[in-house]
Amino acid sequence: MATARRRANRLTPYLFVAPALLVLAVGLLYPIGYMVWASFLDWSPSQRIGEAEFVGMRNYVGLLGDASFQESVRVTLVFAAAVVSIEMVLGVGLALLLDRQIRGMSLLRTVFILPMMIAPIVVGLIWRYMYHPSVGVFNRTLESWGLEPIPWLSSPDWALASVIIADVWQWTPFVFILSLAALQSLPRSALEAARVDGASEWQQVWHIKLPLMLPVLIVTALLRLIDAFKVLEVILVMTNGGPGLSTEIVSLRIQRTVAEFRQLGTGAAMSIYLLLIVLVLTVAMFLFGKWREGRDARVRARAAEAEAA
């Protein structure tokens, strides 16, 4: 009887999470499995999946030699690295700047997060009109200063930078919100001790605030990195991947392959490649976070031993 009771106690937690696991399996694992199977097929929208020809690894091998797909991967990596880096610097900087009790600060914080609440298609339209070569606010400002207008969206040298600026404008508030929440949850005793010891504001930021915020910053960067690989609407509205392939990221290439070229199997293979890239970067950031936590724990342990001695 006691053995049966212990077994039942061990199984009880799994029974509670079983409904959630079932929903996860149906809503996540089944679509991924379906996509993996589709990536091995020569499948067009005019066919049922059972009628598609099985081609094995042909879609994957073909993409490895596809210069357009390789360029899309390169553009995606450049775009993701740029937006995440800039947004993290600006978001954390704004959080450090606005983590103060100043009159009207609540209103200022609200204003900062407004871009994040706008639909991506609307953001794309706003920036497309702002970048307009003749009536856009940027070029009209440059002309009023006696400078030459810039072909923001029509030049391969400027188009990707223009898209990056739009994404940074929209999603820096996301980093700002999470960074500010992390700042306000820091133990005040550590900051007060640093002030008593004579630490300057910069020393407090570099040696206390940022290290304590690191777990939140890693998660924030990871969320933004994943989202940067999935961005579609803003680029679709602003440039549609052009000029040429200068702003065609992988998600846009997948959309074009499926909707325009009607190659569902190839599009599924592209999606798998994109999933693998994101998975590798996620694991790398997770391992980096674990390494930093372990290193900080060892430093604290040595400091405690030295203080005890």
Side-chain angles (χ1 to χ4, degrees):
M1 182 64 70
T3 303
R5 187 178 296 111
R6 286 196 298 270
R7 187 178 296 113
N9 290 336
R10 286 198 299 267
L11 292 177
T12 299
Y14 297 101
L15 293 177
F16 281 114
V17 301
L21 292 177
L22 181 61
V23 171
L24 180 65
V26 174
L28 178 63
L29 299 181
Y30 175 75
I32 291 178
Y34 197 90
M35 183 175 63
V36 171
W37 172 246
S39 68
F40 296 122
L41 305 176
D42 183 10
W43 184 22
S44 68
S46 61
Q47 299 173 303
R48 295 180 178 179
I49 190 170
E51 301 171 348
E53 178 188 358
F54 181 81
V55 295
M57 299 295 293
R58 191 176 75 185
N59 291 330
Y60 292 97
V61 175
L63 289 174
L64 292 177
D66 187 346
S68 299
F69 177 69
Q70 294 173 8
E71 177 64 14
S72 297
V73 173
R74 186 194 70 81
V75 171
T76 303
L77 292 174
V78 171
F79 173 82
V83 298
V84 172
S85 300
I86 297 172
E87 289 165 10
M88 290 300 296
V89 172
L90 292 179
V92 175
L94 285 172
L96 292 169
L97 183 64
L98 298 181
D99 185 29
R100 289 168 171 80
Q101 298 299 325
I102 302 176
R103 192 173 183 178
M105 190 59 69
S106 298
L107 177 61
L108 190 59
R109 292 170 181 171
T110 304
V111 171
F112 272 123
I113 67 174
L114 287 179
M116 189 178 63
M117 302 179 184
I118 304 175
I121 291 179
V122 177
V123 172
L125 288 172
I126 291 172
W127 282 89
R128 181 177 176 179
Y129 290 129
M130 292 174 67
Y131 285 134
H132 194 278
S134 58
V135 299
V137 63
F138 294 131
N139 278 349
R140 293 190 68 176
T141 302
L142 290 175
E143 290 174 352
S144 68
W145 292 345
L147 301 176
E148 291 292 324
I150 295 175
W152 297 100
L153 300 180
S154 59
S155 169
D157 298 328
W158 283 98
L160 184 58
S162 302
V163 171
I164 289 172
I165 292 172
D167 190 90
V168 168
W169 176 82
Q170 184 180 17
W171 291 110
T172 295
F174 176 79
V175 179
F176 165 70
I177 289 174
L178 295 185
S179 301
L180 185 61
L183 269 174
Q184 294 180 343
S185 65
L186 295 181
R188 296 299 165 184
S189 57
L191 299 176
E192 291 296 333
R195 292 191 189 99
V196 171
D197 290 340
S200 64
E201 186 68 25
W202 173 248
Q203 289 173 329
Q204 293 177 43
V205 169
W206 188 252
H207 296 290
I208 298 177
K209 292 182 180 181
L210 290 181
L212 292 177
M213 292 170 61
L214 187 62
V216 175
L217 296 182
I218 290 176
V219 173
T220 303
L222 183 58
L223 292 174
R224 282 302 306 132
L225 184 67
I226 293 172
D227 197 57
F229 276 92
K230 299 188 302 177
V231 67
L232 176 64
E233 295 94 336
V234 173
I235 297 179
L236 187 64
V237 171
M238 290 180 63
T239 65
N240 196 26
L245 300 177
S246 59
T247 60
E248 187 182 72
I249 63 173
V250 175
S251 58
L252 185 57
R253 184 72 183 177
I254 294 171
Q255 185 270 342
R256 188 168 288 169
T257 300
V258 173
E260 296 182 16
F261 306 148
R262 304 174 68 82
Q263 298 173 353
L264 302 184
T266 304
M270 290 181 183
S271 301
I272 296 298
Y273 273 131
L274 183 61
L275 179 63
L276 291 175
I277 293 172
V278 174
L279 184 61
V280 169
L281 294 174
T282 301
V283 172
M285 293 187 68
F286 176 77
L287 293 177
F288 172 75
K290 288 295 184 182
W291 173 77
R292 282 297 302 261
E293 289 179 6
R295 193 191 70 170
D296 293 343
R298 289 191 295 271
V299 170
R300 287 193 297 268
R302 286 197 294 268
E305 291 175 358
E307 185 176 350

